[in-house]
Amino acid sequence: MHLTATLRASAARRAARTGPARVTGDDLRHAVTRGREANLVLLAVDASGSMAARRRMGEVKTAVLSLLLDAYQRRDRVGLVTFRGTQAEVALPPTSSVDAAAARLAQLPHGGRTPLAEGLTQVARVVAREQVRDRHQRALVVVVTDGRATAGADALARARVVADGWSRAVPTAQTVVVDCESGRFRMGLAADLARRMGAEHIALEQVAASGLVEIVTDRTGTARNGRSAA
C-alpha cells in the first residue's frame, strides 16, 4: 500500500462529502514500480585465426567493460561467447559486474579454425536460458564474424542451417551481424548469414570498442549517462 496516496484519496473523499474521518477500501492506493526493461547484451565473437583475432579480442574486452560501466544505473547484463577451433565457449556468462567481467576476460584465447555453427548454437542456448530466468528482459545479440565456417565436415552448410532457423530458435532476440570481412576480394558470407538470420548487417572491417558500444547503445535505447536515449 502507498500510504501517502491512500491518505490523499481519503482526504479528497472527505472534502467532497461529510462523514467520519476514516480510510475505506475505495481509498486504498498501491505503489506501482515503473522502469526500463532490462537488456541482455550477448556478444558472439569469431576468435579463430581467419581474422585479426588478437587485436579484435582486445577491442571486444574493452567494449564489454565499457558497456558494464555504463549500465550501473540499469539492470543490463552483458555476456560473451567466443568460437574457435572446434567449439564455442561462454567466455563471460551474462553479468552486471565489472569486476567479474574483468577477471573472466583477463585471458581470451584465439586462433584455429572457425566453428560458426557451434558458435551460433551456443548463443541460442544462452539466450534461451537467460529468458527463462527473466522473461521480461530484451535480448540483443551482436555476432562479430567474417562469415567463414571452416571447422568440421560441411561447416558452412551446417552454419547456414542454424542461421535459417534462427528466428525460431530465438524469436524474441534482436540480432546484429558485424561483418569483419576485409581484403580486395570478398565473398559476402557475413551478409548472407545476416539475411538468413533475419539480422541487421553492419560492415565494420576494423572492429573497435567504440564502434561496438555505439551499435549496442543505439539498439538498446540507452545513453552513455544511463538515461533513456532521446
Side-chain angles (χ1 to χ4, degrees):
M1 184 183 74
H2 194 288
L3 180 59
T4 303
T6 297
L7 294 176
R8 188 181 300 118
S10 177
R13 178 179 56 80
R14 291 199 310 274
R17 301 179 182 178
T18 59
R22 66 173 181 267
V23 175
T24 69
D26 292 337
D27 299 325
L28 294 178
R29 299 292 184 269
H30 300 278
V32 177
T33 301
R34 294 182 180 177
R36 186 194 314 281
E37 292 179 343
N39 293 305
L40 167 65
V41 178
L42 190 61
L43 279 74
V45 183
D46 178 355
S48 71
S50 65
M51 300 165 64
R54 178 175 296 180
R55 179 183 181 278
R56 182 175 64 255
M57 297 312 291
E59 295 293 333
V60 167
K61 174 181 175 179
T62 301
V64 168
L65 295 176
S66 179
L67 289 168
L68 286 170
L69 285 169
D70 282 350
Y72 72 98
Q73 289 183 333
R74 303 184 300 273
R75 296 175 296 156
D76 292 359
R77 303 169 82 237
V78 181
L80 173 64
V81 171
T82 60
F83 45 99
R84 57 180 289 272
T86 61
Q87 61 186 0
E89 176 188 5
V90 182
L92 177 68
T95 182
S96 58
S97 169
V98 177
D99 291 339
R104 290 294 296 260
L105 300 179
Q107 296 293 330
L108 290 176
H110 56 273
R113 293 184 177 274
T114 310
L116 182 56
E118 288 76 8
L120 296 179
T121 300
Q122 183 67 269
V123 169
R125 289 172 181 161
V126 173
V127 172
R129 184 169 62 243
E130 288 298 308
Q131 292 191 326
V132 168
R133 189 189 68 82
D134 181 359
R135 63 186 179 87
H136 296 295
Q137 70 181 343
R138 301 177 297 180
L140 172 66
V141 174
V142 180
V143 183
V144 182
T145 181
D146 59 7
R148 296 175 185 267
T150 60
D154 301 318
L156 184 57
R158 289 187 294 106
R160 285 173 171 170
V161 169
V162 177
D164 288 339
W166 189 254
S167 61
R168 296 188 299 275
V170 284
T172 61
Q174 179 184 3
T175 305
V176 178
V177 173
V178 177
D179 185 349
C180 301
E181 187 177 22
S182 59
R184 186 173 181 180
F185 300 102
R186 307 187 183 188
M187 303 174 66
L189 294 175
D192 179 66
L193 182 73
R195 180 184 61 79
R196 291 173 179 273
M197 297 175 73
E200 180 182 358
H201 173 257
I202 298 177
L204 191 66
E205 291 184 20
Q206 297 297 322
V207 174
S210 58
L212 291 175
V213 170
E214 183 178 357
I215 288 169
V216 172
T217 54
D218 282 351
R219 284 148 188 82
T220 56
T222 55
R224 299 283 298 183
N225 59 6
R227 293 176 298 184
S228 175

